[in-house]
């Protein structure tokens, strides 16, 4: 059965879309209304303003919620479980301490950056900051250097892991909306993430850390030293983190390597993203939980706690997806697609600019990712692009959604408050770091798209 089609008057649709987005920004920025409520109000205003019949609008809202969550709800939920075990078991600290011991204190920033990149693929940004920042403070105390010298690489690693490398929530969300295979996304996202870490984390930390000296926060003068004997082995933690990445990559490789045909059914099963993540969670529960002395009841409490922030993240993603589907079902993709094609601007640049504008206006990276991906996905020409080009577009969108963090972004205030630095210093350090990540993602996406 064919779904009923609705074609809004182009002028009326543009006015409705502009008004709906203006109301969205006003509600979030001026009146501090929660993003999920603001997004739903915006979606309804756009649909009604464009003249969409009420029954069709309600059906579109329900469809938008279902289509947006399909394919990501299990991944984000399982990722939260995995991150929760990694946090309480000391797995993240184990990775950081091992790398610091091997690289030495002089290159500890690199160690923290790599740790952030690895941890950022498994936990939400805020959780990663809380887990790792005591290590950065401890190093700053030992070396008497600016805390920025160690914190910036860690933050850059967490941000790039979240933005570019599955199974992180940010990369999975946008890849799913654009129909990108996660194996292809990993292959594209890993080098982009590494380059972003080098420029925004390692090089920028040396520059800004040498020019602005920030001392230890008042509450962290006595930094607790971790007892390495209680931490899980580095090799165990790294192996568990790599399990889902390798399973997903092997499943994708089976499409291109004929000699894998005999084991393709096995790879198709275990390489399905939610199965791969479930395997990692089960391994983590045993190796980082049971083997570390946790009882079943304790593990259950850890998993329950790790899921608490997931509901809010999923609701915000759903709200952004509903706005996308209302715009799409009103015909916005067919309207702006030809216009953008005639403008001569590369789609990669268009994707970045849309995400960056929403990020600058709203502040929330997830909202910017969702809305920009929805707008791009609604264009007919995007559906015909090759997989690698679409993966590059994910990097461009998430780069735009990372850049230009300022006073309307909760991450801006989180970093400033933890480091106890003023807004000017936060802009000079954190905001510039985030913007370097964004433009590195854009540059890498542009290069990759030329060869896709």
């Amino acid at each position: 059965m064919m779904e009923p089609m609705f074609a809004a008057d182009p002028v009326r649709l543009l006015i409705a879309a502009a008004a709906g987005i203006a109301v969205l920004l006003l509600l979030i920025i001026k009146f501090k209304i929660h993003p999920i409520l603001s997004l739903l109000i915006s979606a309804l205003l756009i649909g009604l303003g464009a003249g969409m019949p009420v029954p069709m609008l309600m059906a579109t809202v329900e469809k938008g919620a279902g289509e947006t969550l399909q394919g990501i709800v299990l991944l984000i939920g399982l990722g939260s479980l995995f991150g929760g075990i990694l946090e309480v078991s000391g797995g993240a600290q184990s990775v950081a301490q091992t790398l610091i011991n091997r690289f030495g204190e002089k290159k500890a920033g690199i160690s923290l950056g790599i740790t952030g990149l690895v941890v950022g693929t498994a936990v939400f940004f805020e959780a990663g900051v809380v887990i790792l920042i005591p290590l950065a403070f401890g190093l700053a105390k030992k070396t008497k250097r600016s805390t920025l010298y160690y914190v910036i690489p860690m933050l850059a690693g967490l941000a790039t892991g979240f933005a570019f490398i599955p199974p992180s929530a940010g990369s999975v969300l946008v890849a799913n909306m654009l129909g990108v295979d996660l194996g292809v996304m990993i292959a594209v996202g890993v080098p982009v993430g590494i380059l972003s870490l080098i420029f925004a984390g390692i090089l920028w930390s040396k520059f800004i850390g040498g020019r602005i000296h920030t001392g230890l926060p008042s509450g962290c003068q006595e930094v607790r030293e971790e007892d390495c004997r209680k931490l899980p082995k580095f090799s165990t933690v790294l192996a568990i983190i790599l399990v889902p990445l390798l399973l997903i990559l092997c499943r994708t490789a089976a499409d291109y390597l004929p000699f894998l045909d005999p084991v393709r059914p096995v790879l198709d099963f275990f390489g399905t993203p939610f199965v791969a993540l479930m395997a990692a969670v089960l391994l983590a529960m045993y190796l980082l939980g049971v083997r570390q002395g946790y009882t079943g009841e304790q593990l259950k409490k850890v998993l329950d706690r790790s899921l608490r922030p997931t509901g809010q993240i999923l609701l915000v993603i759903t709200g952004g997806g509903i706005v996308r589907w209302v715009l799409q079902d009103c015909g916005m993709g067919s309207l702006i697609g030809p216009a953008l094609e005639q403008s001569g601007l590369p789609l990669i640049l268009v994707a970045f600019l849309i995400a960056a504008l929403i990020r600058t206006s709203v502040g929330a990276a997830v909202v910017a990712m969702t809305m920009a991906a929805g707008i791009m996905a609604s264009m007919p020409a995007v559906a015909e692009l090759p997989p690698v080009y679409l993966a590059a577009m994910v990097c461009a969108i998430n780069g735009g959604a990372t850049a230009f963090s300022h006073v309307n972004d909760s991450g801006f205030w989180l970093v400033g408050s933890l480091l106890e630095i003023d807004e000017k210093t936060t802009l000079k350090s954190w905001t510039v770091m985030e913007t370097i990540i964004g433009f590195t993602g854009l540059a890498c996406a542009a290069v990759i798209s030329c060869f896709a």
Side-chain angles (χ1 to χ4, degrees):
M1 181 178 176
M2 294 290 291
E3 291 187 10
M5 300 297 293
F6 170 74
D9 175 76
V11 176
R12 184 173 178 178
L13 174 56
L14 287 174
I15 293 173
I21 293 173
V23 169
L24 171 66
L25 299 180
L26 189 66
L27 291 174
I28 292 177
I29 298 171
K30 176 68 175 176
F31 296 105
K32 310 300 181 185
I33 304 297
H34 195 281
I36 177 59
L37 289 172
S38 303
L39 287 163
L40 288 173
I41 292 170
S42 175
L44 294 175
L45 285 176
I46 292 171
L48 293 173
M52 178 179 278
V54 171
M56 187 179 296
L57 175 58
M58 297 302 107
T60 297
V61 169
E62 293 178 359
K63 178 181 72 173
E67 292 287 344
T68 302
L69 290 178
Q70 182 181 357
I72 67 165
V73 63
L74 283 176
L75 297 182
I76 292 178
L78 289 167
S80 298
L81 297 178
F82 184 42
I85 298 172
L86 193 66
E87 175 184 351
V88 300
S89 68
Q93 290 91 331
S94 173
V95 173
Q97 291 283 12
T98 302
L99 290 175
I100 289 169
N101 292 338
R102 292 184 181 178
F103 279 91
E105 287 186 2
K106 290 184 178 180
K107 297 181 179 179
I110 299 175
S111 305
L112 285 172
I114 295 172
T115 304
L117 188 67
V118 172
V119 172
T121 66
V123 305
F124 292 120
F125 177 83
E126 292 82 359
V129 172
V130 173
I131 296 168
L132 296 178
I133 205 164
L135 295 169
F137 288 155
L139 287 165
K141 182 184 177 183
K142 286 181 181 178
T143 62
K144 309 299 181 185
R145 283 182 166 178
S146 170
T147 55
L148 294 176
Y149 191 86
Y150 300 105
V151 172
I152 290 295
M154 179 201 77
L155 295 174
L158 289 168
T160 54
F162 178 81
F164 302 127
I165 305 175
S168 71
S171 58
V172 167
L173 163 65
V174 180
N176 184 71
M177 293 183 73
L178 294 179
V180 181
D181 179 87
L182 289 189
V184 175
M185 190 63 236
I186 291 170
V188 171
V190 168
V192 174
I194 292 172
L195 286 173
S196 298
L197 172 61
I198 291 172
F199 290 118
I202 297 168
L203 297 179
W204 177 243
S205 69
K206 290 181 179 179
F207 179 85
I208 196 67
R211 282 160 179 77
I212 300 178
H213 188 276
T214 55
L216 286 171
S218 56
C220 298
Q221 294 299 327
E222 295 298 327
V223 180
R224 180 174 60 88
E225 299 292 337
E226 295 287 347
D227 185 353
C228 296
R229 291 172 299 176
K230 296 180 181 179
L231 298 178
K233 291 183 179 179
F234 168 78
S235 57
T236 301
V237 178
L238 188 62
I240 295 171
I241 291 173
L242 290 177
V243 161
L245 301 181
L246 293 175
L247 287 175
I248 293 169
L249 278 173
C250 288
R251 178 175 179 260
T252 302
D255 293 333
Y256 304 96
L257 302 175
F259 69 86
L260 291 176
D261 284 346
V263 294
R264 182 163 183 166
V266 176
L267 294 177
D268 282 343
F269 177 76
F270 286 103
T272 301
F274 85 87
V275 176
L277 258 179
M278 189 168 64
V281 171
L282 292 173
L283 281 173
M285 288 175 65
Y286 177 69
L287 296 175
L288 302 182
V290 175
R291 291 280 294 273
Q292 293 291 107
Y294 286 86
T295 65
E297 184 63 26
Q298 289 173 323
L299 274 176
K300 182 180 181 301
K301 289 180 179 179
V302 169
L303 298 179
D304 286 343
R305 188 185 68 178
S306 68
L307 286 175
R308 287 174 188 169
T310 307
Q312 179 173 321
I313 295 290
L314 288 173
L315 280 173
V316 172
I317 290 170
T318 302
I322 289 170
V323 173
R324 168 259 171 115
W325 278 99
V326 169
L327 288 169
Q328 179 169 319
D329 285 5
C330 285
M332 181 61 80
S334 301
L335 182 61
I336 65 174
L340 288 173
E341 290 173 3
Q342 291 174 8
S343 71
L345 291 174
L347 289 176
I348 290 292
L349 179 59
V350 171
F352 175 86
L353 291 175
I354 293 172
L357 285 171
I358 298 171
R359 163 70 154 173
T360 306
S361 302
V362 176
V366 173
V367 174
M369 290 175 184
T370 306
M371 293 188 67
I375 291 170
M376 297 306 297
S378 69
M379 298 181 193
V382 170
E384 302 172 2
L385 296 172
V388 175
Y389 193 108
L390 288 174
M393 186 175 288
V394 173
C395 293
I397 290 172
N398 287 5
T402 301
F404 308 116
S405 169
H406 60 97
V407 294
N408 63 355
D409 176 24
S410 60
F412 177 92
W413 297 106
L414 173 67
V415 172
S417 62
L418 287 174
L419 295 179
E420 293 186 3
I421 55 179
D422 58 27
E423 289 80 7
K424 183 179 180 181
T425 304
T426 311
L427 284 168
K428 288 181 177 179
S429 55
W430 159 261
T431 300
V432 174
M433 181 210 80
E434 289 275 270
T435 304
I436 293 172
I437 292 173
F439 278 95
T440 303
L442 171 62
C444 292
V447 171
I448 294 169
S449 66
C450 294
F451 299 95

